[in-house]
Amino acid sequence: MSSETITADAAGTWKLGDHTVGRIGFGAMRLTGSAAFHLGTASDRERSIAVLRRAIELGVNHIDTAAFYFSSLRSANEIINSALAPYPDDLLIVTKVGPFRNYSGDWGTSARPDDLRGHVEENLRQLGRDHLDVVNLRRMRQDWIAEHFGALAELREEGLIRHLGLSDVEPRHLEEAQSIAPVVCVQNRFGLDSRAPATDELLRICGEQGIAFVPFFAIAGEGASQGATGTHDDAVLAVARAHDASPAQIRLAWTLHQGPHVLAIPGTGNPDHLAENVAAGAIELTDEELDTLNALHRQAD
């Protein structure tokens, strides 16, 4: 398949908050270096800017980022601001708050509820905006999220945030949050070789309620923040050959086939990989191929 001529429109759209977005978005984590955070070498800034601008040219209008996405030299939010401001009217930028890294890149204590205003304001400053389209509360192992989510709901009432979402949660946390304010998206780790019963249940619940389900590490697999996995099951390789596609594209296509409410946010600092990721939205898997890949997912840990 030719990646260069396929745009994000091929994957279809979904309503996220008050935006209609393409189901293939862009994750900003890998803009800053060869691996996430401080784990790799810093990226070439101009190349990262070019990748973002190319994403917009390819029809991508959903970007996922965070103030804590930075390497020794690069900040994802700063790159987004430099590349895309003034922002297109149809562009949705989703941020997340909760985790904290200090200026040296070390992880610190996750936010208390009264810290979240500062996290939101830092995202506003870095992105050069007067409001944030969507803010996900990233749960950091706490059993209950009402205080944290309530703090964000107050910022939503003030107009600093338009819509709220959740990340790394279980169904009970979604229910807890919905008793406080509407939830427009849930972002959990989910992929062909990544399975958790609670997340599979959330996938179903979100579909029933019309909530966007936004998996992260759909391509990376076991590579996680280090980057895309290089290990692929024989069945994945066979499906890839049948579609003249890469295994990563098949992983993305399978993810999108899990429901019309599923949005993919693959990240890359490579313009060729960007085009391939967007083109994955055009891959139509057969029922037999889906059965085979679904069986792999059920066997995953």
Side-chain angles (χ1 to χ4, degrees):
M1 59 189 296
S2 174
S3 298
E4 294 300 325
T5 58
I6 298 174
T7 67
D9 292 342
T13 61
W14 186 258
K15 192 73 174 288
L16 179 48
D18 52 9
H19 279 66
T20 297
V21 298
R23 294 181 61 218
I24 287 277
F26 182 87
M29 180 185 288
R30 297 295 301 281
L31 286 175
T32 64
S34 60
F37 313 123
H38 58 291
L39 300 176
T41 57
S43 64
D44 178 89
R45 183 173 180 276
E46 293 306 315
R47 188 186 197 213
S48 293
I49 286 174
V51 166
L52 271 175
R53 290 175 176 167
R54 179 59 179 153
I56 299 301
E57 290 173 358
L58 288 171
V60 172
N61 62 356
H62 169 202
I63 295 176
D64 177 84
T65 187
F68 55 84
Y69 285 176
F70 63 88
S71 66
S72 58
L73 295 177
R74 305 281 176 256
S75 156
N77 281 354
E78 184 277 328
I79 291 171
I80 292 168
N81 190 343
S82 296
L84 303 180
Y87 299 106
D89 291 340
D90 68 339
L91 177 63
L92 181 81
I93 299 178
V94 179
T95 59
K96 63 186 71 64
V97 296
F100 173 75
R101 294 174 69 210
N102 62 27
Y103 289 115
S104 63
D106 296 326
W107 291 99
T109 303
S110 57
R112 301 184 307 273
D114 57 356
D115 292 327
L116 291 176
R117 176 181 290 273
H119 286 214
V120 167
E121 290 177 346
E122 182 65 6
N123 278 283
L124 288 168
R125 183 190 67 79
Q126 293 177 1
L127 290 167
R129 307 197 76 177
D130 60 6
H131 73 276
L132 298 175
D133 297 326
V134 181
V135 173
N136 289 326
L137 173 65
R138 177 63 179 266
R139 185 177 71 98
M140 297 297 289
R141 296 179 294 278
Q142 65 263 43
D143 286 336
W144 306 104
I145 63 170
E147 284 189 80
H148 288 77
F149 195 78
L152 291 180
E154 290 178 6
L155 298 178
R156 175 176 171 267
E157 291 297 318
E158 293 180 27
L160 295 182
I161 301 170
R162 293 278 171 84
H163 302 283
L164 299 174
L166 297 171
S167 180
D168 198 21
V169 294
E170 298 175 4
R172 61 190 176 92
H173 299 119
L174 174 58
E175 185 176 357
E176 185 183 6
Q178 287 175 314
S179 70
I180 299 169
V183 175
V184 300
C185 58
V186 172
Q187 187 181 96
N188 270 28
R189 181 169 184 169
F190 178 84
L192 186 57
D193 53 5
S194 175
R195 181 176 180 270
T199 295
D200 284 356
E201 178 68 2
L202 271 172
L203 172 67
R204 181 189 66 78
I205 293 170
C206 287
E208 291 176 352
Q209 298 186 14
I211 298 170
F213 182 82
V214 189
F216 59 86
F217 296 154
I219 293 179
E222 295 179 357
S225 56
Q226 292 280 4
T229 182
T231 303
H232 303 284
D233 190 277
D234 287 344
V236 175
L237 296 173
V239 174
R241 286 192 296 271
H243 290 269
D244 192 21
S246 71
Q249 287 178 308
I250 297 304
R251 288 172 178 271
L252 276 178
W254 175 85
T255 301
L256 292 171
H257 276 71
Q258 299 310 298
H261 65 299
V262 178
L263 313 180
I265 49 169
T268 182
N270 183 314
D272 294 332
H273 290 168
L274 167 68
E276 288 181 2
N277 291 343
V278 170
I283 296 176
E284 291 289 342
L285 300 174
T286 68
D287 289 343
E288 183 178 357
E289 289 168 341
L290 276 173
D291 288 344
T292 299
L293 297 174
N294 288 339
L296 286 179
H297 176 69
R298 288 192 295 270
Q299 296 165 11
D301 295 329

